[in-house]
Amino acid sequence: MKNKFCFKLLLITFITGSLCSCNDSLNNSSGEISSSVVEQNLLSEINSALKHINDGFSLKVLGTIIQTEEINFQFDYDYLNKAEEGFHSKLSYVYEDNPSDIVFDETYFRDEEGKIYQETLGLDNLIKKKYDNDYLYDSVYINPFSLLNENDFTSLNNGKYNVNLHKMAYVLDKFFPNESKITSATMTIEDKKFVSLEIETEAFFKENNYISEMKGTFLYDDIELNHLQPLQENDDQKKLSLALANVGDSYVIDFIDHQETEHQKIYLSGKSIFVQHNFEADEIDEWQDSWWNAVEGESGLIELYYIQDSNSWGDNGNSYDDYTEAIPHFDVISGALFNYEKATNLYRLSSEYADIVAGSFVPKMLYNSVGYESNLTIEISLNDDNQLERVCFFNENIDIEMVISSFDSLPFNLVDEDVTLS
């Protein structure tokens, strides 16, 4: 009996001790697991937030830039990495009494081969892709927040995290290069997504421009990149487009410079171009007139001058590869660029496109007349048959009128055939 009792007592003691030991172990491990769970939850929250922001986001930032004075700014940044990859960034200075001053407004895309391109609106009202052939998208443009990882965050409270200042400096520099030294950077997470960003900085060097502070908010739904769209073209503008397309490459231009009181006549035959300096002249002016024509044994058009004594032609040394390179290109311009004024029956263009369009509307040998001018206005009128009749260019420096008429023949009995130089 005594042995059985001792055995039972030892067994009870062992079980009790084991239970106590297990209970202590659970308590200890419970404390450790609790701490570990919190840490794992924080890491999970950060990683989920980083995953969301790497897929795509829209960031709107308000802040202050220190220059000679404090200037408020707004920065908008949209990044997409799903159906397509690219980003849009826009920086504007914001003033109380004046309209915002846009510093830059750019959108870059990544094509299927990884190349960088931007979209531009052509003069023909079609969207063009402008490629940067020096770099690939992945080597230059990345999601700035992809530079961050879970180790760059230190938890504060209520989903707010301090961010490694060294890393945040690289992130900020991807948005726009600046002379700022980051002194504080925090990001807030809600529902496992970053919802806000706050950064405070100071100048690297005294008197440099720098961002003093910026506060931003993130959105993730319905992120779209700013694809350009062609301009809407109404019936009147379509009429102009058709008139420009139908000019062809054979016509006559009365080129009238009202400022210089000069009136030239430009004959475009379809093969050669004769520039008659004085529209009223009844013979070739060997000092002023020129004939852009083909020369035996040469390719393209060569500028020829007349030698009256020998009734022959000399080479002025200027040339074009072919006829189409030297003539105006009305057909590449869309009427959608112009506003139609019904009261005057005129088409008018006064935007930044006018400076470019003007260069396409004049023969290239007369490009200097309008090609280096800015703030131009172009006015176009059509005749009763809706054909191009008159194009005028003017600003504070120039007043040029071009009258378009049909081509019958070159003046002075000139014939379109290869000539021999004297």
Side-chain angles (χ1 to χ4, degrees), residues 220-238:
Y220 299 91
D221 297 327
D222 302 321
I223 306 302
E224 295 182 357
L225 295 177
N226 294 354
H227 283 280
L228 288 179
Q229 299 296 327
L231 300 173
Q232 293 295 317
E233 190 177 40
N234 60 35
D235 290 341
D236 291 314
Q237 292 169 322
K238 290 178 181 178

Side-chain angles (χ1 to χ4, degrees), residues 207-368:
E207 297 180 356
N208 267 21
N209 297 342
Y210 70 98
I211 299 168
S212 63
E213 63 176 359
M214 51 188 292
K215 296 181 179 180
T217 55
F218 295 95
L219 294 175
Y220 299 91
D221 297 327
D222 302 321
I223 306 302
E224 295 182 357
L225 295 177
N226 294 354
H227 283 280
L228 288 179
Q229 299 296 327
L231 300 173
Q232 293 295 317
E233 190 177 40
N234 60 35
D235 290 341
D236 291 314
Q237 292 169 322
K238 290 178 181 178
K239 188 188 299 183
L240 175 59
S241 292
L242 185 60
L244 292 171
N246 288 338
V247 172
D249 62 1
S250 178
Y251 49 92
V252 180
I253 299 176
D254 280 88
F255 194 89
I256 308 165
D257 189 333
H258 293 288
Q259 292 271 22
E260 302 295 332
T261 62
E262 291 182 350
H263 184 165
Q264 302 181 65
K265 216 168 181 69
I266 319 298
Y267 295 83
L268 301 98
S269 71
K271 291 183 63 177
S272 69
I273 304 169
F274 187 80
V275 181
Q276 182 179 336
H277 183 72
N278 180 1
F279 79 107
E280 294 179 317
D282 53 12
E283 63 179 13
I284 298 175
D285 185 336
E286 63 179 321
W287 300 106
Q288 300 287 350
D289 296 349
S290 61
W291 189 19
W292 297 79
N293 199 4
V295 173
E296 289 184 2
E298 302 286 347
S299 60
L301 297 184
I302 297 176
E303 183 184 17
L304 307 175
Y305 67 95
Y306 183 59
I307 306 173
Q308 199 165 30
D309 292 341
S310 58
N311 189 25
S312 60
W313 296 92
D315 179 4
N316 260 342
N318 301 314
S319 64
Y320 289 104
D321 289 340
D322 54 47
Y323 179 78
T324 59
E325 184 187 355
I327 65 175
H329 289 283
F330 299 105
D331 57 328
V332 303
I333 310 299
S334 169
L337 301 179
F338 289 78
N339 294 318
Y340 177 64
E341 299 176 354
K342 190 172 183 179
T344 60
N345 197 28
L346 291 174
Y347 293 89
R348 182 187 294 265
L349 175 62
S350 297
S351 72
E352 67 276 8
Y353 286 108
D355 305 343
I356 307 171
V357 169
S360 297
F361 273 5
V362 298
K364 294 303 174 284
M365 64 283 303
L366 297 174
Y367 178 82
N368 290 350

Side-chain angles (χ1 to χ4, degrees), residues 18-33:
S18 297
L19 288 173
C20 291
S21 175
C22 286
N23 190 50
D24 290 342
S25 175
L26 285 171
N27 285 336
N28 291 337
S29 65
S30 175
E32 293 173 4
I33 289 174

Side-chain angles (χ1 to χ4, degrees), residues 23 36 51 54 69 91 96 114 123 192-193 232 234 249-250 282 296-297 306 309 374 416 422:
N23 190 50
S36 176
K51 182 179 183 304
N54 280 330
E69 59 182 354
L91 177 65
E96 292 183 4
L123 299 180
K192 295 189 176 182
K193 293 180 181 178
Q232 293 295 317
N234 60 35
D249 62 1
S250 178
D282 53 12
E296 289 184 2
Y306 183 59
D309 292 341
S374 58
D416 276 325
S422 60

Side-chain angles (χ1 to χ4, degrees), residues 41 61 116 141 149 193 234 270 300 352 368:
N41 285 341
V61 173
I116 305 164
Y141 301 117
N149 62 55
K193 293 180 181 178
N234 60 35
E352 67 276 8
N368 290 350

